[in-house]
Amino acid sequence: RIVYLGGLHPDGVPLSPHLRSRVEVGRILLDSGVPTLVLQAGVVIGSGSASFEMVRHLTEVLPYMPAPKWVRNRIQPIAVRDVLHYLLGAARVSADISQAVDIGGPDVLRYGQMMNGYALEAGLRQRAIAALPVLTPRLASHWVNLVTPIPRRVAMPLVESLQNECIVKDSAIDALIPPPEGGRTPYRTAVGLALRRAEVDEIETSWQDADVLGVPSDPLPNDPEWAGQVVFTDVRTAHTSASQESLWRVIQGIGGERGWYSNPLLWAIRGWMDKLVGGVGLRRGRRHRDRLLVGDAVDFWRVEAIEPGSLLRLRAEMRVPGKAWLELRARPDADGSRYDQRAVFFPLGLAGRLYWLAVLPFHGFIFAGMARSITAAAEAADAQAGTG
């Protein structure tokens, strides 16, 4: 059996490219001859969901929101726990069943009502929302990119899909999979559950950790100079009285709420520059405050390699004319440990070389400051542990 999570959509109207592609995938699978159940869901509400994060950040950032006219469209959101209920239930459906069915929560809301429902659960004032007929999906996706951590390439299909009213057309799913025990989760309950998971740092999966199209993806070669690649590097080394374990904890906790241990204004400017050209920016954060795994997103970096206790290598996903990495190491040393930091940049053509020359004057503030502050934070942690 094939189980496919497709998109909730109306019939007989033009669909956005994103929704149209999801409908087409479902149709291909249903025509494959393999028993297929296509579960068609709308906005999924749960910690780590891109749709939920868009609602969350738009509501938190904007006390007054000029919005596209689609904020008046009706939507039937569904809690992620109910989606999982139906996905698991699909494994028990009779093998002769092959069809598409709609799934949704108990509430049919307008998008503006979803935002204000979030505001109430988050302890915020309800937001004034003005629908503007001139805000196109492209302009709206740029706006979402600027005021939320959602990059434009992710925001665009989400915004386009909201042009259509997406509500459940019938209750055919109930004949195949009984509703969850206690009924489907109301929208505000789902928001409250998602917020609590975020507060206690228990987000299991996130849109942040999905690959972002159009960014460097090649792993860092071990010997770029030997390979004949033009390469620019910035190398910093610092000795510290802190233990290797304390130094590693600081390294592994970098980014997100803790920042980058150097001039925050320069990092913020770089993040905004990235957002302006459609990049992910600095506000993507990280999934867990203290732990990292290969593939995790950390602001506009992605964890490419990690050796617990000693090495963290980050690959840049900001928009740059080339490919960039940042490598942080903790090594044992006499009377403490040694911190090694290496920034590597492979320029792409003349633009890449000019870019490196343009940012070179700021490296003294950024990278030197990082080395000093990271080792100082490790020493402070050691001192606190000693007094504790």
Side-chain angles (χ1 to χ4, degrees):
R1 161 171 302 285
I2 297 171
V3 179
Y4 172 60
L5 184 60
L8 193 61
H9 64 279
D11 293 327
V13 299
L15 300 177
S16 70
H18 173 64
L19 269 183
R20 193 165 60 244
S21 70
R22 297 181 73 180
V23 173
E24 180 64 16
V25 169
R27 186 178 299 117
I28 291 170
L29 295 175
L30 287 167
D31 293 341
S32 68
V34 179
T36 298
L37 189 62
V38 178
L39 301 173
Q40 299 176 149
V43 175
V44 177
I45 304 301
S47 54
S49 158
S51 299
F52 172 70
E53 291 298 322
M54 190 166 82
V55 172
R56 174 186 178 185
H57 287 282
L58 285 174
T59 307
E60 290 183 349
V61 170
L62 303 173
Y64 171 80
M65 181 180 174
K69 59 184 179 181
W70 47 253
V71 295
R72 296 173 178 164
N73 287 351
R74 293 180 304 159
I75 303 169
Q76 195 161 353
I78 183 170
V80 67
R81 59 178 52 205
D82 292 346
V83 174
L84 293 173
H85 166 81
Y86 287 117
L87 287 170
L88 291 170
R92 296 186 290 271
V93 171
S94 174
D96 61 349
I97 299 296
S98 195
Q99 66 183 88
V101 288
D102 293 349
I103 59 174
D107 302 310
V108 176
L109 305 167
R110 300 187 188 279
Y111 198 83
Q113 291 176 314
M114 287 178 57
M115 295 179 65
N116 278 320
Y118 173 89
L120 290 172
E121 286 298 313
L124 304 171
R125 288 185 178 182
Q126 294 198 47
R127 292 344 196 187
I129 300 171
L132 303 179
V134 296
L135 204 55
T136 66
R138 182 172 293 277
L139 287 174
S141 64
H142 278 291
W143 178 242
V144 170
N145 173 68
L146 285 174
V147 300
T148 80
I150 311 293
R152 181 168 51 84
R153 288 175 178 267
V154 176
M156 186 69 171
L158 293 178
V159 169
E160 287 179 336
S161 298
L162 294 171
Q163 307 302 301
N164 302 112
E165 291 201 334
C166 296
I167 57 177
V168 172
K169 296 182 285 294
D170 55 50
S171 57
I173 184 63
D174 293 340
L176 302 176
I177 304 171
E181 185 177 352
R184 294 166 297 163
T185 309
Y187 169 71
R188 284 185 56 181
T189 302
V191 170
L193 290 168
L195 287 174
R196 284 195 288 276
R197 289 189 73 85
E199 287 171 1
V200 298
D201 219 10
E202 290 184 356
I203 301 176
E204 296 178 7
T205 60
S206 172
W207 69 271
Q208 300 168 348
D209 299 323
D211 287 337
V212 179
L213 297 176
V215 297
S217 58
D218 293 338
L220 174 63
N222 291 329
D223 293 302
E225 293 90 351
W226 175 84
Q229 170 74 48
V230 174
V231 59
F232 298 119
T233 61
D234 185 287
V235 178
R236 311 278 171 170
T237 298
H239 296 270
T240 173
S241 60
S243 65
Q244 183 180 0
E245 291 77 14
S246 294
L247 180 58
W248 172 248
R249 281 195 294 271
V250 175
I251 290 173
Q252 188 173 211
I254 201 166
E257 296 175 0
R258 296 187 178 98
W260 292 88
Y261 293 94
S262 60
N263 191 303
L265 177 61
L266 292 178
W267 280 101
I269 291 172
R270 185 63 186 89
W272 274 105
M273 289 171 59
D274 193 52
K275 289 292 253 181
L276 286 172
V277 296
V280 295
L282 269 181
R283 293 180 58 199
R284 187 167 57 167
R286 47 183 289 160
R287 183 165 44 135
H288 194 283
R289 292 184 183 91
D290 301 311
R291 298 193 305 269
L292 288 176
L293 298 172
V294 171
D296 281 356
V298 184
D299 292 326
F300 47 37
W301 305 89
R302 188 172 297 277
V303 178
E304 181 179 276
I306 188 166
E307 296 174 9
S310 62
L311 168 69
L312 174 64
R313 181 186 298 147
L314 303 171
R315 185 183 73 241
E317 290 192 340
M318 76 279 282
R319 303 289 178 182
V320 291
K323 300 175 182 179
W325 292 264
L326 181 62
E327 195 173 79
L328 313 176
R329 285 184 181 271
R331 304 178 189 268
D333 199 6
D335 302 322
S337 57
R338 191 181 88 188
Y339 172 72
D340 293 329
Q341 174 182 296
R342 182 171 69 137
V344 179
F345 181 64
F346 290 4
L348 180 62
L350 178 61
R353 290 160 172 78
L354 293 176
Y355 168 81
W356 179 261
L357 291 174
V359 299
L360 195 58
F362 301 102
H363 285 178
F365 298 103
I366 294 175
F367 291 133
M370 279 183 67
R372 287 193 302 269
S373 298
I374 286 175
T375 52
E379 290 168 4
D382 257 8
Q384 185 175 7
T387 57

